[in-house]
mmCIF file of all heavy atoms in Angstrom:
data_model
loop_
_atom_site.group_PDB
_atom_site.id
_atom_site.type_symbol
_atom_site.label_atom_id
_atom_site.label_comp_id
_atom_site.label_asym_id
_atom_site.label_seq_id
_atom_site.Cartn_x
_atom_site.Cartn_y
_atom_site.Cartn_z
ATOM 1 N N ARG A 213 28.915 -9.744 -12.188
ATOM 2 C CA ARG A 213 29.652 -8.491 -11.997
ATOM 3 C C ARG A 213 28.823 -7.413 -11.315
ATOM 4 O O ARG A 213 29.351 -6.364 -10.944
ATOM 5 C CB ARG A 213 30.153 -7.957 -13.352
ATOM 6 C CG ARG A 213 31.167 -8.890 -14.013
ATOM 7 C CD ARG A 213 31.392 -8.506 -15.473
ATOM 8 N NE ARG A 213 32.118 -9.546 -16.187
ATOM 9 C CZ ARG A 213 33.353 -9.432 -16.655
ATOM 10 N NH1 ARG A 213 34.001 -8.308 -16.507
ATOM 11 N NH2 ARG A 213 33.933 -10.416 -17.298
ATOM 12 N N GLY A 214 27.495 -7.641 -11.225
ATOM 13 C CA GLY A 214 26.627 -6.645 -10.583
ATOM 14 C C GLY A 214 26.497 -5.368 -11.399
ATOM 15 O O GLY A 214 26.257 -4.296 -10.869
ATOM 16 N N ILE A 215 26.687 -5.507 -12.736
ATOM 17 C CA ILE A 215 26.532 -4.324 -13.606
ATOM 18 C C ILE A 215 25.571 -4.667 -14.731
ATOM 19 O O ILE A 215 25.349 -5.837 -15.027
ATOM 20 C CB ILE A 215 27.883 -3.865 -14.229
ATOM 21 C CG1 ILE A 215 28.486 -4.992 -15.090
ATOM 22 C CG2 ILE A 215 28.844 -3.388 -13.178
ATOM 23 C CD1 ILE A 215 29.645 -4.552 -15.951
ATOM 24 N N THR A 216 25.002 -3.636 -15.347
ATOM 25 C CA THR A 216 24.153 -3.850 -16.520
ATOM 26 C C THR A 216 25.038 -3.741 -17.754
ATOM 27 O O THR A 216 25.822 -2.809 -17.878
ATOM 28 C CB THR A 216 23.029 -2.787 -16.561
ATOM 29 O OG1 THR A 216 22.295 -2.880 -15.343
ATOM 30 C CG2 THR A 216 22.094 -3.005 -17.722
ATOM 31 N N ILE A 217 24.896 -4.710 -18.664
ATOM 32 C CA ILE A 217 25.718 -4.731 -19.878
ATOM 33 C C ILE A 217 24.862 -4.412 -21.091
ATOM 34 O O ILE A 217 25.238 -3.666 -21.966
ATOM 35 C CB ILE A 217 26.385 -6.124 -20.036
ATOM 36 C CG1 ILE A 217 27.425 -6.317 -18.923
ATOM 37 C CG2 ILE A 217 27.020 -6.288 -21.406
ATOM 38 C CD1 ILE A 217 27.921 -7.734 -18.775
ATOM 39 N N THR A 218 23.679 -5.004 -21.123
ATOM 40 C CA THR A 218 22.814 -4.801 -22.282
ATOM 41 C C THR A 218 21.513 -4.147 -21.812
ATOM 42 O O THR A 218 21.037 -4.443 -20.725
ATOM 43 C CB THR A 218 22.540 -6.151 -22.983
ATOM 44 O OG1 THR A 218 21.632 -5.939 -24.044
ATOM 45 C CG2 THR A 218 21.963 -7.183 -22.053
ATOM 46 N N SER A 219 20.970 -3.239 -22.622
ATOM 47 C CA SER A 219 19.718 -2.597 -22.216
ATOM 48 C C SER A 219 18.606 -3.646 -22.269
ATOM 49 O O SER A 219 18.520 -4.396 -23.232
ATOM 50 C CB SER A 219 19.393 -1.426 -23.146
ATOM 51 O OG SER A 219 19.437 -1.839 -24.482
ATOM 52 N N ALA A 220 17.791 -3.701 -21.229
ATOM 53 C CA ALA A 220 16.703 -4.689 -21.182
ATOM 54 C C ALA A 220 15.375 -3.951 -21.231
ATOM 55 O O ALA A 220 15.210 -2.906 -20.610
ATOM 56 C CB ALA A 220 16.810 -5.503 -19.895
ATOM 57 N N ALA A 221 14.436 -4.495 -22.021
ATOM 58 C CA ALA A 221 13.126 -3.847 -22.160
ATOM 59 C C ALA A 221 12.094 -4.630 -21.375
ATOM 60 O O ALA A 221 12.180 -5.851 -21.258
ATOM 61 C CB ALA A 221 12.737 -3.804 -23.630
ATOM 62 N N THR A 222 11.125 -3.921 -20.824
ATOM 63 C CA THR A 222 10.028 -4.609 -20.143
ATOM 64 C C THR A 222 8.758 -3.778 -20.293
ATOM 65 O O THR A 222 8.804 -2.604 -20.668
ATOM 66 C CB THR A 222 10.356 -4.862 -18.655
ATOM 67 O OG1 THR A 222 9.374 -5.732 -18.116
ATOM 68 C CG2 THR A 222 10.385 -3.578 -17.857
ATOM 69 N N THR A 223 7.633 -4.403 -20.011
ATOM 70 C CA THR A 223 6.328 -3.759 -20.164
ATOM 71 C C THR A 223 5.551 -3.929 -18.870
ATOM 72 O O THR A 223 5.584 -5.007 -18.285
ATOM 73 C CB THR A 223 5.558 -4.459 -21.309
ATOM 74 O OG1 THR A 223 6.359 -4.403 -22.472
ATOM 75 C CG2 THR A 223 4.251 -3.784 -21.597
ATOM 76 N N CYS A 224 4.870 -2.876 -18.426
ATOM 77 C CA CYS A 224 4.050 -3.013 -17.210
ATOM 78 C C CYS A 224 2.961 -1.937 -17.217
ATOM 79 O O CYS A 224 2.956 -1.058 -18.072
ATOM 80 C CB CYS A 224 4.921 -2.893 -15.962
ATOM 81 S SG CYS A 224 5.864 -1.367 -15.878
ATOM 82 N N SER A 225 2.042 -2.030 -16.262
ATOM 83 C CA SER A 225 0.956 -1.037 -16.147
ATOM 84 C C SER A 225 0.988 -0.430 -14.762
ATOM 85 O O SER A 225 1.290 -1.108 -13.778
ATOM 86 C CB SER A 225 -0.400 -1.711 -16.342
ATOM 87 O OG SER A 225 -0.486 -2.191 -17.648
ATOM 88 N N TRP A 226 0.633 0.848 -14.680
ATOM 89 C CA TRP A 226 0.631 1.549 -13.391
ATOM 90 C C TRP A 226 -0.687 2.288 -13.249
ATOM 91 O O TRP A 226 -1.079 3.067 -14.109
ATOM 92 C CB TRP A 226 1.802 2.539 -13.356
ATOM 93 C CG TRP A 226 1.882 3.380 -12.110
ATOM 94 C CD1 TRP A 226 1.776 4.742 -12.039
ATOM 95 C CD2 TRP A 226 2.115 2.935 -10.772
ATOM 96 N NE1 TRP A 226 1.928 5.162 -10.739
ATOM 97 C CE2 TRP A 226 2.133 4.070 -9.938
ATOM 98 C CE3 TRP A 226 2.302 1.677 -10.189
ATOM 99 C CZ2 TRP A 226 2.332 3.994 -8.565
ATOM 100 C CZ3 TRP A 226 2.499 1.602 -8.822
ATOM 101 C CH2 TRP A 226 2.523 2.756 -8.020
ATOM 102 N N ASN A 227 -1.384 2.002 -12.144
ATOM 103 C CA ASN A 227 -2.657 2.669 -11.897
ATOM 104 C C ASN A 227 -2.405 4.031 -11.275
ATOM 105 O O ASN A 227 -1.814 4.129 -10.213
ATOM 106 C CB ASN A 227 -3.524 1.826 -10.960
ATOM 107 C CG ASN A 227 -4.061 0.612 -11.669
ATOM 108 O OD1 ASN A 227 -4.510 0.714 -12.798
ATOM 109 N ND2 ASN A 227 -3.969 -0.540 -11.033
ATOM 110 N N PHE A 228 -2.838 5.068 -11.954
ATOM 111 C CA PHE A 228 -2.604 6.432 -11.489
ATOM 112 C C PHE A 228 -3.903 7.200 -11.661
ATOM 113 O O PHE A 228 -4.595 7.015 -12.647
ATOM 114 C CB PHE A 228 -1.491 7.060 -12.331
ATOM 115 C CG PHE A 228 -1.367 8.552 -12.131
ATOM 116 C CD1 PHE A 228 -0.769 9.049 -10.986
ATOM 117 C CD2 PHE A 228 -1.860 9.443 -13.070
ATOM 118 C CE1 PHE A 228 -0.668 10.412 -10.792
ATOM 119 C CE2 PHE A 228 -1.766 10.811 -12.877
ATOM 120 C CZ PHE A 228 -1.160 11.290 -11.738
ATOM 121 N N PRO A 229 -4.363 8.052 -10.772
ATOM 122 C CA PRO A 229 -3.691 8.433 -9.535
ATOM 123 C C PRO A 229 -3.937 7.424 -8.412
ATOM 124 O O PRO A 229 -4.966 6.772 -8.381
ATOM 125 C CB PRO A 229 -4.330 9.776 -9.192
ATOM 126 C CG PRO A 229 -5.698 9.679 -9.790
ATOM 127 C CD PRO A 229 -5.594 8.803 -10.997
ATOM 128 N N THR A 230 -2.959 7.352 -7.515
ATOM 129 C CA THR A 230 -3.134 6.496 -6.342
ATOM 130 C C THR A 230 -3.063 7.373 -5.104
ATOM 131 O O THR A 230 -2.464 8.433 -5.106
ATOM 132 C CB THR A 230 -2.012 5.451 -6.258
ATOM 133 O OG1 THR A 230 -0.774 6.134 -6.329
ATOM 134 C CG2 THR A 230 -2.102 4.434 -7.363
ATOM 135 N N THR A 231 -3.680 6.933 -4.046
ATOM 136 C CA THR A 231 -3.569 7.667 -2.793
ATOM 137 C C THR A 231 -3.552 6.668 -1.637
ATOM 138 O O THR A 231 -4.379 5.762 -1.585
ATOM 139 C CB THR A 231 -4.715 8.695 -2.632
ATOM 140 O OG1 THR A 231 -4.572 9.331 -1.370
ATOM 141 C CG2 THR A 231 -6.082 8.075 -2.714
ATOM 142 N N GLN A 232 -2.562 6.813 -0.798
ATOM 143 C CA GLN A 232 -2.414 5.937 0.370
ATOM 144 C C GLN A 232 -2.496 4.455 -0.013
ATOM 145 O O GLN A 232 -3.095 3.643 0.673
ATOM 146 C CB GLN A 232 -3.498 6.258 1.403
ATOM 147 C CG GLN A 232 -3.227 7.594 2.070
ATOM 148 C CD GLN A 232 -4.305 7.919 3.066
ATOM 149 O OE1 GLN A 232 -5.282 8.538 2.718
ATOM 150 N NE2 GLN A 232 -4.149 7.498 4.296
ATOM 151 N N GLY A 233 -1.894 4.152 -1.150
ATOM 152 C CA GLY A 233 -1.819 2.744 -1.535
ATOM 153 C C GLY A 233 -3.116 2.179 -2.093
ATOM 154 O O GLY A 233 -3.186 1.037 -2.495
ATOM 155 N N LYS A 234 -4.214 2.977 -2.119
ATOM 156 C CA LYS A 234 -5.482 2.468 -2.665
ATOM 157 C C LYS A 234 -5.702 3.080 -4.043
ATOM 158 O O LYS A 234 -5.346 4.224 -4.291
ATOM 159 C CB LYS A 234 -6.653 2.872 -1.758
ATOM 160 C CG LYS A 234 -6.598 2.285 -0.369
ATOM 161 C CD LYS A 234 -7.876 2.627 0.367
ATOM 162 C CE LYS A 234 -7.761 2.275 1.838
ATOM 163 N NZ LYS A 234 -6.920 3.244 2.570
ATOM 164 N N VAL A 235 -6.322 2.302 -4.920
ATOM 165 C CA VAL A 235 -6.594 2.799 -6.268
ATOM 166 C C VAL A 235 -7.930 3.533 -6.259
ATOM 167 O O VAL A 235 -8.926 3.023 -5.746
ATOM 168 C CB VAL A 235 -6.638 1.621 -7.263
ATOM 169 C CG1 VAL A 235 -6.946 2.131 -8.652
ATOM 170 C CG2 VAL A 235 -5.319 0.880 -7.243
ATOM 171 N N LEU A 236 -7.940 4.722 -6.828
ATOM 172 C CA LEU A 236 -9.195 5.483 -6.889
ATOM 173 C C LEU A 236 -10.116 4.884 -7.955
ATOM 174 O O LEU A 236 -9.644 4.302 -8.921
ATOM 175 C CB LEU A 236 -8.889 6.936 -7.250
ATOM 176 C CG LEU A 236 -8.119 7.755 -6.208
ATOM 177 C CD1 LEU A 236 -7.938 9.165 -6.718
ATOM 178 C CD2 LEU A 236 -8.853 7.788 -4.881
ATOM 179 N N PRO A 237 -11.425 5.074 -7.815
ATOM 180 C CA PRO A 237 -12.349 4.462 -8.782
ATOM 181 C C PRO A 237 -12.129 4.966 -10.215
ATOM 182 O O PRO A 237 -12.276 4.229 -11.160
ATOM 183 C CB PRO A 237 -13.736 4.854 -8.261
ATOM 184 C CG PRO A 237 -13.503 5.860 -7.179
ATOM 185 C CD PRO A 237 -12.113 5.717 -6.704
#
């Protein structure tokens, strides 16, 4: 149907701050 029916949970990590796609030290 292309719709969300049930809430889905997920876990991930995000490196912040980033600049121009490169990760700062």
Side-chain angles (χ1 to χ4, degrees):
R213 296 167 193 248
I215 60 168
T216 303
I217 292 167
T218 176
S219 52
T222 190
T223 304
C224 56
S225 295
W226 177 243
N227 287 316
F228 168 76
T230 53
T231 178
Q232 289 179 270
K234 297 186 190 75
V235 179
L236 293 181

